[in-house]
Amino acid sequence: MQRVDRITLIIKPKPSEFQKIVADAAIDAGREMQFLKTLEQAEDHPVAGPYPEGHYLKGFLCRVK
């Protein structure tokens, strides 16, 4: 069984900025990382056209070596 370390960040950058933060953290830690999936709100929670801020990123599913 592999040990998985979990880190929780509570910040509100744009999704692309958050992805860069995570990628830079992996580089700083000397680890290889792949983004496998972007986690967002459920399909039953649509984003209203006049309110794009309603789209939110929940996180990323990543593989870290």
Side-chain angles (χ1 to χ4, degrees):
M1 179 183 269
Q2 278 185 308
R3 180 175 174 220
V4 177
D5 293 326
R6 186 174 289 182
I7 298 172
T8 302
L9 298 175
I10 302 174
I11 53 176
K12 288 270 188 172
K14 294 178 184 174
S16 60
E17 293 171 347
F18 183 51
Q19 186 171 0
K20 182 170 178 5
I21 290 168
V22 173
D24 288 346
I27 292 169
D28 290 346
R31 307 289 294 269
E32 292 182 33
M33 187 200 55
Q34 297 174 314
F35 290 99
L36 303 177
K37 186 174 183 178
T38 300
L39 306 173
E40 300 172 336
Q41 72 263 27
E43 291 180 14
D44 64 346
H45 186 76
V47 180
Y51 186 66
E53 294 85 0
H55 177 262
Y56 58 91
L57 171 71
K58 287 183 146 185
F60 296 107
L61 179 61
C62 303
R63 176 181 294 136
V64 181
K65 294 181 183 182

